[in-house]
Amino acid sequence: MIFVLVQSLIQYPQPAGDGLDEATHRRMKERQELLNNEMARLLQELEDRRSGEASNNDVHEGEDSIDGREECMEVKVQESSDASEQRSREKEDHDGGKGESGSGGMEDREKTRYAGNEQGILLVDRIEWPVEDLERGCSVIAELMESLTHVFVDSVSNTPYPVPQEAIGVGSAFEGWSPRDWDGVYRVLVPLNPPPGHTFHLEPNSAGQVADRTFNVCVELVCTCEKEQVEEKPLCFLHHSREELRRKQKRSLLETLCTSSYLDVEKTSRWFCQLVRSSWLQVPQWHSWHVVFQPCRRSCRLELSKGRDSLMVEMLFGVRRGDSDIFVSSQPTKATITASTAWAETYAVAEAKFFRHIARQLPCESLHLKCLQLFTCILRDTGFSSSTWKTVVMHVLTTVPLSRWHRRAFARRLWDIMAYLDRCLQLTHLRHFVLGNERLPAEISLPPAMRGVVPPNLFEHLARDPAAHREARQAYGRLRFRLGVLLSSH
């Protein structure tokens, strides 16, 4: 009976915020919490029952017994030979994914018991999320931003303001998945180019780790005298007097959106929101969607509604590092960023580009997303954040050949992900995915200096705190047991 109930709970409810009215939004959140609590209760009951069965085989009862069994299995994993792993890979290649062991070194009896092909196929078919709603929401936002960009070009022409470029969708929604803690906001990054007569120069701040760096965007004036031969004859901010510039009402960006000589995030946010307001009636979407602007200091956030449908979009601003896919963004990576001139380095564009690259090559294009969905939604409350799971899955995608990401190998790929996390926990070291990663696809452009850096350790806090590391290891044991329960129930 319990297994049947677990199966019924695997079909995870849609996250709110993607085209739903407020009442439906509230009901879905309440049902989501109800299902979360019921799933946790059932899994705990299963854990207690299996722990009780294990006690009949001279295994101690309670959570410690689960962790103890996990430690035994980890020892077996450590002892598995490279030759055995190679045979497993060759078998999987030979029979198209019908072998029993994956490529992550998880050759043990417990895995074989839980990770059968049929169980994995049943599970992958039952993992559902609102992918169609996500695609529809992303399409609506993309069309809106394209329309706004066309209007922006005319609006900022010959003004002392940055020039917005084509918006880039970032975050889980545009990557094609929906973590449990997704807030229902579709996020886009709007690159800003300097206006004529100006350049942007990024100055790194000394504070912060490599993975949490912030920059100041220094605005510098450049000579435009050579361009005076064109019809409009723009005034050069460097070689025309202040009186003449003032008489012609020509102001520089330094006088509009800067604090000292640095581009100010909050001033930029206020200006951009006003630009969107003034541009709204010029885009085709204005007669279909009602727009409400939400207050935000470091971005432009607005709610679009049409009848009972609603979408929330947040426009972040960014400055590109050279011609790469790395930006500094108005969205802070941590709440500690308070200076209005601080722009946080972001890798969201590179990650979104990586997901698009992967989707074009996988035999089952959504399999990696369903892996993410399972770990971040169904196997929840284990202390590992959505960003941690995303980083682990991205690393596994660059180590396990993409030809092996097919439906029949779903269970094995889940265990590969678990094996990678296990190894990272053993070493208290999880490498940053973008910085210093030599396995990145060539189409993802990084600044030259960034490819040669030592990848930051995202598990550094575990290395410094033995208690936190011990807690993470215990959480891993519970998580692995839960995954086994889910696979064995199908």
Side-chain angles (χ1 to χ4, degrees), residues 47-48 50-52 54-55 58-73 481:
E47 290 177 6
D48 293 342
R50 296 205 173 198
S51 297
S55 65
D58 299 324
V59 179
H60 297 292
E61 295 184 356
E63 184 178 300
D64 291 339
S65 67
I66 297 174
D67 294 336
R69 279 192 296 162
E70 294 298 333
E71 291 301 325
C72 291
M73 285 189 288
F481 181 80

Side-chain angles (χ1 to χ4, degrees), residues 1 13 38 60 107 146 159 164 190 198 202 340 370 392 418-419:
M1 177 64 179
E38 184 66 7
H60 297 292
E107 280 193 87
E146 183 179 3
T159 69
V190 181
H198 303 75
L202 301 183
S340 62
K370 290 201 173 188
V392 170
M418 288 293 292

Side-chain angles (χ1 to χ4, degrees), residues 26 91 282 285 292 310 479:
R26 184 172 59 254
K91 179 175 177 59
Q282 302 178 55
Q285 288 84 350
V292 176
S310 65
L479 176 62

Side-chain angles (χ1 to χ4, degrees), residues 119-354:
Q119 291 93 328
I121 292 175
L122 287 172
L123 182 58
V124 72
D125 289 340
R126 294 182 67 88
I127 296 178
E128 298 180 357
W129 74 97
V131 61
E132 292 183 359
D133 285 346
L134 286 177
E135 290 177 351
R136 183 178 65 87
C138 290
S139 177
V140 170
I141 301 304
E143 290 178 3
L144 171 62
M145 294 309 304
E146 183 179 3
S147 299
L148 283 172
T149 301
H150 289 313
V151 178
F152 292 160
V153 171
D154 295 329
S155 299
V156 301
S157 178
N158 296 319
T159 69
Y161 295 102
V163 183
Q165 304 299 300
E166 181 179 353
I168 306 170
V170 295
S172 61
F174 284 92
E175 292 166 354
W177 63 294
S178 170
R180 179 174 179 263
D181 55 1
W182 185 54
D183 56 6
V185 179
Y186 294 83
R187 290 181 171 83
V188 297
L189 181 68
V190 181
L192 300 178
N193 283 357
H198 303 75
T199 61
F200 290 155
H201 176 67
L202 301 183
E203 295 182 356
N205 292 321
S206 58
Q209 301 296 321
V210 176
D212 299 310
R213 292 185 296 190
T214 63
F215 289 76
N216 291 330
V217 180
C218 181
V219 177
E220 299 176 348
L221 300 177
V222 295
C223 179
T224 58
C225 292
E226 294 182 358
K227 297 182 179 180
E228 290 193 353
Q229 303 302 318
V230 301
E231 183 177 349
E232 296 181 359
K233 294 185 179 180
L235 297 179
C236 177
F237 290 107
L238 287 178
H239 299 114
H240 284 79
S241 65
R242 290 187 177 181
E243 291 75 15
E244 186 176 5
L245 291 169
R246 190 177 298 111
R247 186 170 61 252
K248 296 291 184 65
Q249 296 183 340
K250 293 291 290 183
R251 294 189 298 167
S252 72
L253 182 57
L254 292 169
E255 301 174 89
T256 56
L257 302 183
C258 290
T259 296
S260 183
S261 59
Y262 299 114
L263 189 63
D264 190 293
V265 174
E266 296 180 13
K267 292 179 181 179
T268 303
S269 174
R270 290 192 294 270
W271 160 75
F272 191 83
C273 286
Q274 183 57 43
L275 179 63
V276 175
R277 287 178 187 271
S278 62
S279 303
W280 182 251
L281 294 182
Q282 302 178 55
V283 299
Q285 288 84 350
W286 79 268
H287 58 81
S288 301
W289 293 88
H290 174 69
V291 61
V292 176
F293 287 81
Q294 305 289 340
C296 192
R297 291 191 309 116
R298 299 181 68 95
S299 64
C300 179
R301 181 179 288 214
L302 43 99
E303 181 180 5
L304 303 172
S305 59
K306 179 172 59 175
R308 299 179 61 182
D309 291 344
S310 65
L311 291 169
M312 188 74 72
V313 57
E314 183 174 26
M315 304 177 198
L316 305 166
F317 329 115
V319 175
R320 190 186 297 267
R321 289 194 58 182
D323 58 356
S324 73
D325 292 315
I326 306 302
F327 289 77
V328 295
S329 165
S330 61
Q331 184 181 41
T333 55
K334 291 186 177 180
T336 54
I337 297 180
T338 57
S340 62
T341 56
W343 298 69
E345 190 169 58
T346 177
Y347 320 98
V349 173
E351 292 174 352
K353 198 169 181 179
F354 173 77

